[in-house]
Amino acid sequence: MIAHLPILQVIVPLIAAPLCLILRRAHLVWLFALFASGIAFLTSILLLQQVMDTGTIVYELGGWEAPWGIEYRIDKLNAFLLLIITMISTVVLMAAKKGIEKEISSEKHTLFYVLYLLSLTGMLGIVATGDAFNVFVFLEISSLSAYALIALGNDRRALWAAYQYLIMGTIGATFILIGIGMMYQMTGTLNMEDLSRRLPEISQTRTVFAAFAFVIVGICLKLALFPLHLWLPNAYSYAPSIVTAFFAATATKVAIYLLIRFTFSVFGLTFSFTTLPLQTLFIVLGLLGIFVASTTAIYQQNVKRLFAYSSIAQIGYMIVGFSISSVTGLTATLLHVFNHALMKSALFLALGAVMYRVGSVDLKHFHGLGRQMPLTMAAIVVGGLSLIGVPLTVGFVSKWYLLLALIEQGWWPVAVLVLLGSLLAIIYVWRIVEAAYFKPPLANTGDIKEAPLQYLIPIWILILANIYFGIDTRLTVSVAQAASQSLFGVGL
Amino acid sequence: MDAGNDWAAAFFGLYNYWIVVVLMMVGFYIVIAHGNLIKKIIGLTIFQTSVFIYYISMGNVDGGTAPILADNISQYSNPLPHVLILTAIVVGIATTALGLALAIRIKESYGTIEEEIIQGMDNPG
Amino acid sequence: MDSLRFCNPKTIKEDNAIELLIDIVLLSFLVCIAFAIVRMKDLFAVIMLAGMYGLLSASFFVTMDAVDVAFTEASVGAGISTLLMLTTISMTGRYENTTRHRPMLALVVVFVTGSLLIYGTLDMPYFGSAQAPIQLHVAPHYINNSMSEIGIPNIVTSALASYRGFDTFGEVVVIFTAGVAVWALLMVNVQRRKNTEIDDANNSTHEQHFIVRFVAKMLIPFILLFALYVQFHGDYGPGGGFQAGVIFAAAIILYSMVFGLNTARRVISQPIVQLLTAAGVLLYGSVGIVSLLSGGNFLDYNVLSADPIAGQHLGILLIELGVGCTVASVMILIYFNFSGRKNDRELEEHKETT
């Protein structure tokens, strides 16, 4: 069975989804979905171990050799991503039973788990595959289920957010489809490995240039890179809390992965960073994203929305690291992908707990929560500190590497701007702390109890991970560094 | 080969793609410029269908025939774009169905399917 | 760069002049329709035009030798999607507002994107060239070897179901996702529909059209039979699970349009349809798992039987059944939910007025 791990990674949640539909009873379905996601998590750990030991694993689907068939190609980069996605998915699912109790009407609970597993399948499929068109197919699985999951939110604005996301997402996917079509037309192949061998010969053609532009713009739409981020705040604010916690930690990460995969592995580093002024463009967009989104976050009254804007800012950091195009820079980006997944899933789950007890996540309803829900609020504080990048949290580790990479290149002004951006995070996190600990509770709120254990356990697992990986960085740094080195072709 | 001949060759070799680009852009324009949610989805299907036409065009071979093996035929059109587009059509109808379902729910809860009015209701003032 | 342009400049010979003419006529129709869709405010007309757009592109696909794609586009673009859109506007209203959403910005975006695309076409291999890269790499393998490796004449089916069978699995999951998603969005409260009085009121409108009902009753068996033919003939000619599923669903949808949704639901109850959507995906997946347990890779049909060719045949037959099952049941499920929602709304309005 060990030889089949790459495909099991994707088909376990895939097959579990229709089985959930047959099981029907929401309670059973929850346990089953948790089980399937847990198996996927174990699979990803085994895969990562195997990849770190023996190098890239290739799995030919249908027994057909690539490029005639589709292959799965697991290297250090996507093994790392698979681990992040399945880990977050499993921890978030632990809280799902309580989480959807009040936010989704009971007859839809089974369908919620089906869609959740399909979304997980889609993301895993995108990351695991080595075939450009297969990316498109699994991208659509994850997107369609995402639109539906967001639309399950109670507020009518969730419907509108889902619709906007559907339009933007489909435009993005169609752009990617056009780009893949052009690449295919010029090379005759869809296999990424094969593409990377054939593209350099024709890299000077205008068609390949256009293909590159369409793929990148399409991915940036999915990535919510500033200024293409407009769909994200609404989608994250009005989706059910569990869905937000899951997507905030994984969906944009998958897009970052695609960006890295297409620029580094398919088009190749020299092509990607010389044909377009990609480096300058992305640095500017990344920095603008950090500042505009962080500033907008400061003025939000809805805390879910506040953290949604903060997510856009965090994408900015990842993009800055990516566009340095050095081993350290990419390491910083990959570390931040992992670390940001830990922080944001913890924070949004904690907001889910607040939603569960208080029924709202408006800043004014946070007044006095520090005493009423001490454990949940403590989690939000630690998560916030991690977001700022305080030492002993994971946020510090990735910012540290980002600064190292910038200084390595001698880009002092950018380094200073990145630090200034972190100061903005202090302000928006402080507003929550101030409301929760320094304001008296509202008069008419009645008796608010601490969040139930089913929420607290997953939240604190993630928070402790935030601290643990902030202190013991061996595992994350070594994997991220190895992945980054292999993409640059050094240290092989 | 003189320049005039070159231009004619380019025109007859590429006009198909140029028309497809026009079709794509008309669809794209409907998606982003129109406020009616149903019309946007129709724009999306036009956009996607045009991308399908692009894919199918590139697979065509002069003098070729449908890729179903038969005796005494030597030239087949490329089957791979057909396979890809079969999948893409299914993805397209899936998106359309979901988009329409969302539009129905939006109509029920907002009472309208015009983008401007919905945004006005969400951000009053 | 010229090395890419292997083909000779295309000279207009007499025998392909007629092809060129058809090509130009179809493409100009498509352009006209697309612009008409932009201008029209009446959504009913727009949807009809969109249906024509689908049908015309299907005709174009036939001239491009893509018969399987044409079949699918005709049933989806001109069939199912038109039907769903019409059902939708019967709930959301027929006319579009005249206001445009920032038209100048949209024009600029469209212009930039379009220019980039045109720029990209400039180095493309010429249309119809037999020397284009895609005719030289990967695809020739399918054309030359599919008979010996898979043993069925329709190369599209070989590539779809076997070489790229995993994409098709993904496609089935996409359609399954859409079914579940639409169901989750449009689910109607079941208790409310218990009112038989309104059932009768709904059904009586359908009972008036005797000729329609008679013709439909005559047609439906043949449609179902044709669906089965398409399902099992996909190895030899155009067709396969997807097209068959859509045709099968069309028969059921026709039935429910003519005889009323509730009658149709009594014939095929919604819980069964729901189970079938899952069953198709599971059938496809279990073929993969069986091949995995028999010592092959996922979806490797060679190991399903002692003789690899027989294994391929068996595998393709089973997965096409899975595709047909999921596609038909999802289409029916989607239609049931759309039109169930409509009945429900009419019922509410009915209650309000009385």
Side-chain angles (χ1 to χ4, degrees):
Chain A
M1 261 343 206
I2 286 294
H4 295 295
L5 279 180
I7 189 65
L8 288 175
Q9 177 75 84
V10 177
I11 55 166
V12 166
L14 194 161
I15 302 276
L19 282 176
C20 283
L21 205 56
I22 290 171
L23 279 178
R24 267 165 197 279
R25 300 259 310 277
H27 183 69
L28 277 180
V29 169
W30 171 62
L31 284 174
F32 187 68
L34 190 58
F35 175 71
S37 177
I39 297 276
F41 180 41
L42 288 179
T43 315
S44 73
I45 294 176
L46 292 175
L47 265 179
L48 183 63
Q49 254 174 2
Q50 210 180 333
V51 171
M52 293 303 280
D53 289 347
T54 60
T56 308
I57 310 171
V58 175
Y59 187 86
E60 290 163 351
L61 286 150
W64 299 112
E65 204 181 320
W68 301 290
I70 296 168
E71 65 171 9
Y72 269 13
R73 184 173 276 272
I74 313 287
D75 59 9
K76 290 173 184 123
L77 173 65
N78 50 10
F80 188 46
L81 262 290
L82 291 172
L83 178 82
I84 297 172
I85 297 167
T86 50
M87 170 182 73
I88 298 293
S89 148
T90 310
V91 178
V92 170
L93 259 181
M94 288 180 193
K97 188 167 176 291
K98 275 277 176 239
I100 62 174
E101 204 173 79
K102 287 190 179 168
E103 293 184 48
I104 298 175
S105 59
S106 61
E107 71 269 15
K108 290 183 183 169
H109 283 183
T110 306
L111 297 183
F112 165 83
Y113 293 114
V114 175
L115 290 168
Y116 187 99
L117 285 174
L118 286 170
S119 191
L120 173 65
T121 306
M123 291 194 245
L124 295 175
I126 298 170
V127 174
T129 191
D131 186 280
F133 193 80
N134 202 236
V135 167
F136 169 75
V137 176
F138 279 81
L139 186 68
E140 286 297 328
I141 296 176
S142 81
S143 312
L144 286 176
S145 42
Y147 311 144
L149 283 171
I150 290 167
L152 287 179
N154 260 338
D155 198 303
R156 70 175 181 185
R157 282 172 290 187
L159 294 170
W160 178 232
Y163 182 91
Q164 280 178 308
Y165 186 20
L166 180 135
I167 296 290
M168 295 302 269
T170 311
I171 292 174
T174 312
F175 272 31
I176 294 174
L177 189 64
I178 294 173
I180 293 174
M182 287 176 162
M183 286 196 276
Y184 171 63
Q185 193 180 14
M186 297 308 279
T187 59
T189 186
L190 292 162
N191 181 275
M192 291 182 184
E193 186 74 11
D194 203 16
L195 275 171
S196 71
R197 271 196 304 271
R198 286 163 179 272
L199 280 172
E201 290 169 33
I202 46 162
S203 62
Q204 295 312 310
T205 57
R206 288 167 281 195
T207 311
V208 172
F209 173 81
F212 181 67
F214 273 94
V215 169
I216 296 296
V217 174
I219 292 172
C220 288
L221 265 169
K222 289 273 175 193
L223 181 62
L225 176 66
F226 181 86
L228 302 172
H229 64 281
L230 294 170
W231 58 267
L232 189 141
N234 278 334
Y236 283 13
S237 319
Y238 304 119
S241 305
I242 295 293
V243 174
T244 311
F246 181 42
F247 284 164
T250 54
T252 47
K253 310 298 176 295
V254 171
I256 290 267
Y257 162 79
L258 277 181
L259 186 66
I260 296 174
R261 181 58 86 203
F262 274 96
T263 46
F264 281 78
S265 311
V266 177
F267 285 97
L269 192 59
T270 29
F271 175 86
S272 302
F273 285 93
T274 50
T275 41
L276 273 176
L278 198 65
Q279 196 167 40
T280 333
L281 189 72
F282 271 11
I283 290 262
V284 171
L285 290 181
L287 287 175
L288 269 177
I290 293 172
F291 279 94
V292 175
S294 302
T295 319
T296 320
I298 292 172
Y299 292 99
Q300 296 308 311
Q301 291 306 318
N302 178 326
V303 180
K304 242 170 138 180
R305 207 176 172 81
L306 183 155
F307 281 128
Y309 275 105
S310 139
S311 280
I312 299 168
Q314 301 299 317
I315 292 165
Y317 291 108
M318 295 175 209
I319 289 295
V320 169
F322 163 83
S323 41
I324 297 170
S325 81
S326 72
V327 175
T328 325
L330 196 60
T331 307
T333 297
L334 291 176
L335 279 174
H336 204 50
V337 164
F338 181 87
N339 297 343
H340 181 245
L342 285 181
M343 318 168 194
K344 272 293 153 59
S345 51
L347 284 169
F348 278 116
L349 272 187
L351 291 185
V354 172
M355 193 77 177
Y356 184 81
R357 285 298 187 212
V358 183
S360 157
V361 285
D362 277 349
L363 203 56
K364 61 176 182 284
H365 289 112
F366 273 67
H367 290 187
L369 274 194
R371 249 153 284 141
Q372 288 161 319
M373 299 176 76
L375 287 171
T376 313
M377 281 316 300
I380 292 184
V381 171
V382 179
L385 290 177
S386 189
L387 204 54
I388 297 166
V390 174
L392 301 183
T393 61
V394 284
F396 174 72
V397 180
S398 32
K399 292 246 170 86
W400 177 252
Y401 273 87
L402 185 59
L403 287 176
L404 276 185
L406 286 168
I407 292 165
E408 228 173 56
Q409 303 283 316
W411 293 1
W412 287 97
V414 183
V416 171
L417 287 174
V418 163
L419 276 180
L420 280 179
S422 304
L423 291 182
L424 292 174
I426 298 180
I427 304 179
Y428 59 70
V429 171
W430 171 252
R431 289 186 67 218
I432 304 167
V433 174
E434 187 191 22
Y437 290 95
F438 297 98
K439 295 266 174 74
L442 293 179
N444 52 355
T445 47
D447 202 16
I448 295 171
K449 284 201 279 292
E450 179 56 86
L453 272 184
Q454 277 183 338
Y455 252 124
L456 283 177
I457 292 171
I459 292 171
W460 276 93
I461 290 177
L462 290 167
I463 289 296
L464 291 176
N466 262 295
I467 298 170
Y468 176 79
F469 289 110
I471 299 169
D472 179 6
T473 58
R474 280 170 304 181
L475 177 73
T476 45
V477 171
S478 65
V479 175
Q481 221 153 25
S484 166
Q485 278 168 350
S486 72
L487 285 169
F488 279 94
V490 291
L492 282 174
Chain B
M1 205 190 297
D2 60 304
N5 221 343
D6 246 14
W7 279 104
F11 179 78
F12 282 109
L14 297 173
Y15 78 95
N16 213 312
Y17 299 126
W18 294 339
I19 297 178
V20 172
V21 170
V22 172
L23 292 175
M24 284 183 201
M25 288 308 109
V26 173
F28 189 38
Y29 175 79
I30 299 175
V31 182
I32 52 182
H34 282 257
N36 184 292
L37 305 192
I38 308 290
K39 189 92 174 235
K40 269 179 185 295
I41 291 171
I42 293 172
L44 218 45
T45 57
I46 303 280
F47 186 25
Q48 287 180 317
T49 311
S50 314
V51 177
F52 305 161
I53 299 177
Y54 161 59
Y55 266 77
I56 299 297
S57 300
M58 73 166 98
N60 185 256
V61 181
D62 278 339
T65 172
I68 298 174
L69 294 167
D71 298 335
N72 46 24
I73 288 176
S74 57
Q75 185 70 275
Y76 296 99
S77 278
N78 192 332
L80 188 49
H82 302 182
V83 174
L84 306 180
I85 291 315
L86 276 172
T87 306
I89 290 177
V90 177
V91 170
I93 180 71
T95 314
T96 306
L98 185 53
L100 291 174
L102 278 171
I104 292 173
R105 288 286 307 277
I106 288 172
K107 169 75 178 179
E108 284 174 4
S109 40
Y110 285 86
T112 176
I113 53 162
E114 293 293 335
E115 185 175 1
E116 310 264 293
I117 305 177
I118 294 170
Q119 271 173 343
M121 290 164 86
D122 277 349
N123 315 304
Chain C
M1 182 172 340
D2 267 341
S3 63
L4 265 171
R5 294 274 168 76
F6 310 97
C7 63
N8 303 319
K10 190 171 169 178
T11 46
I12 308 167
K13 283 181 256 148
E14 265 185 36
D15 55 328
N16 61 19
I18 188 79
E19 255 177 52
L20 186 72
L21 189 70
I22 295 175
D23 197 61
I24 289 177
V25 168
L26 282 175
L27 285 175
S28 30
F29 272 165
L30 284 170
V31 173
C32 294
I33 292 178
F35 278 102
I37 289 176
V38 179
R39 303 287 307 162
M40 291 278 215
K41 298 285 168 223
D42 180 354
L43 290 175
F44 181 76
V46 167
I47 290 167
M48 284 302 151
L49 285 173
M52 282 165 64
Y53 191 88
L55 198 60
L56 274 174
S57 44
S59 323
F60 184 75
F61 294 155
V62 175
T63 67
M64 295 283 113
D65 308 324
V67 279
D68 279 277
V69 182
F71 201 163
T72 312
E73 177 62 30
S75 52
V76 168
I80 293 286
S81 83
T82 311
L83 182 71
L84 291 181
M85 284 178 187
L86 286 177
T87 318
T88 309
I89 58 161
S90 71
M91 282 176 262
T92 56
R94 184 168 167 174
Y95 293 96
E96 177 191 11
N97 265 10
T98 42
T99 50
R100 292 271 166 92
H101 186 64
R102 283 182 285 180
M104 279 323 287
L105 182 68
L107 269 181
V108 171
V109 171
V110 166
F111 187 76
V112 171
T113 319
S115 314
L116 184 59
L117 274 169
I118 297 278
Y119 178 78
T121 62
L122 294 179
D123 282 332
M124 282 181 182
Y126 289 152
F127 177 65
S129 159
Q131 301 300 314
I134 58 167
Q135 320 296 3
L136 301 175
H137 186 48
V138 181
H141 179 93
Y142 300 148
I143 295 172
N144 299 326
N145 303 8
S146 71
M147 203 52 175
S148 58
E149 287 177 346
I150 291 166
I152 58 173
N154 188 346
I155 312 171
V156 174
T157 306
S158 299
L160 182 93
S162 192
Y163 293 112
R164 296 189 67 88
F166 193 65
D167 263 354
T168 310
F169 192 28
E171 166 195 325
V172 176
V173 179
V174 169
I175 206 82
F176 172 72
T177 310
V180 175
V182 168
W183 178 19
L185 282 174
L186 297 183
M187 182 187 272
V188 226
N189 208 340
V190 189
Q191 284 114 11
R192 239 190 285 159
R193 221 184 300 108
K194 289 279 148 73
N195 198 335
T196 48
E197 204 175 299
I198 286 131
D199 279 7
D200 295 340
N202 263 327
N203 289 340
S204 68
T205 54
H206 295 285
E207 276 160 23
Q208 290 155 10
H209 306 288
F210 179 73
I211 296 176
V212 178
R213 287 172 56 214
F214 183 75
V215 173
K217 261 194 178 158
M218 296 285 291
L219 274 179
I220 286 168
F222 290 105
I223 299 178
L224 292 176
L225 202 62
F226 182 58
L228 288 177
Y229 168 79
V230 172
Q231 171 81 50
F232 294 108
H233 199 256
D235 294 3
Y236 306 99
F242 185 76
Q243 294 92 330
V246 174
I247 295 169
F248 192 90
I252 306 292
I253 291 170
L254 177 66
Y255 185 81
S256 87
M257 282 164 88
V258 176
F259 296 94
L261 184 63
N262 294 310
T263 327
R265 275 196 170 134
R266 275 195 285 275
V267 179
I268 298 188
S269 75
Q270 189 151 326
I272 291 180
V273 180
Q274 288 157 9
L275 275 186
L276 284 174
T277 56
V281 181
L282 289 175
L283 176 61
Y284 206 136
S286 47
V287 172
I289 290 174
V290 168
S291 55
L292 198 140
L293 295 175
S294 331
N297 273 359
F298 189 71
L299 291 177
D300 183 350
Y301 312 136
N302 282 347
V303 295
L304 292 179
S305 160
D307 172 26
I309 298 288
Q312 289 287 342
H313 276 288
L314 180 65
I316 291 176
L317 181 80
L318 287 173
I319 63 117
E320 290 271 18
L321 262 181
V323 176
C325 179
T326 295
V327 168
S329 47
V330 166
M331 293 298 163
I332 296 170
L333 182 68
I334 289 178
Y335 179 77
F336 275 7
N337 276 289
F338 269 70
S339 92
R341 197 79 180 183
K342 182 164 179 271
N343 284 1
D344 203 59
R345 280 167 56 93
E346 277 162 8
L347 199 147
E348 298 250 296
E349 279 157 23
H350 184 76
K351 267 186 191 160
E352 272 167 29
T353 48
T354 50

